[in-house]
Amino acid sequence: MSKGNTTEVDILAKVFKGTALSWDAATDLDIHLHTADPGEAGLSTTSEATYTSYALVTVNRAGSDWSGTNPLANAVLIQFPQCTGGTNSITHVSITPSGSTQILYSGALTAALSVSSGIQPQFAIGALTVSED
């Protein structure tokens, strides 16, 4: 996964200038699905899934919902609404502070997921990993 450009700038300012992160007080994170790479300059709305009934999923920004250190992984099931119409080929995922379009991290799925009526995308426990190198 990679950070969005705005997040990279935020972290540099935090480390080297002591500038507070605008999203530091966020208690939740939003998980978004994408039909193409939103890119480091993109927003969570860039190429976001459009199948009928799609909605982002909000998870707690807490130790109980995330495990490990590096890599870090989801400790709870992340389940999106079931598709009730339309189709999408989901190729990427992004993570944002709740209510924000600023991408903290985004990355490609290991394989594209074809979504059509009756399909409910999800990340099993431990399937969504984020790491720093």
Side-chain angles (χ1 to χ4, degrees):
M1 293 197 134
S2 64
K3 291 183 197 75
N5 288 344
T6 302
T7 301
E8 291 171 347
V9 170
D10 285 353
I11 291 173
L12 286 171
K14 172 71 172 172
V15 170
F16 293 99
K17 297 179 180 178
T19 304
L21 300 170
S22 62
W23 41 269
D24 196 40
T27 57
D28 295 316
L29 297 170
D30 291 338
I31 313 297
H32 304 259
L33 298 177
H34 300 270
T35 58
D37 185 356
E40 289 190 6
L43 302 172
S44 62
T45 54
T46 304
S47 304
E48 192 168 15
T50 58
Y51 68 81
T52 306
S53 300
Y54 168 78
L56 60 85
V57 173
T58 300
V59 296
N60 289 323
R61 186 179 170 203
S64 59
D65 284 7
W66 300 93
S67 64
T69 53
N70 191 21
L72 181 111
N74 59 309
V76 296
L77 174 67
I78 298 173
Q79 194 167 51
F80 292 84
Q82 182 176 20
C83 177
T84 58
T87 61
N88 275 157
S89 178
I90 306 300
T91 60
H92 289 74
V93 61
S94 70
I95 302 169
T96 65
S98 186
S100 172
T101 59
Q102 179 180 339
I103 293 176
L104 299 177
Y105 288 93
S106 68
L109 302 179
T110 54
L113 174 64
S114 294
V115 177
S116 58
S117 191
I119 302 294
Q120 186 170 21
Q122 65 182 23
F123 291 99
I125 293 171
L128 181 58
T129 61
V130 180
S131 63
E132 293 280 347
D133 58 2

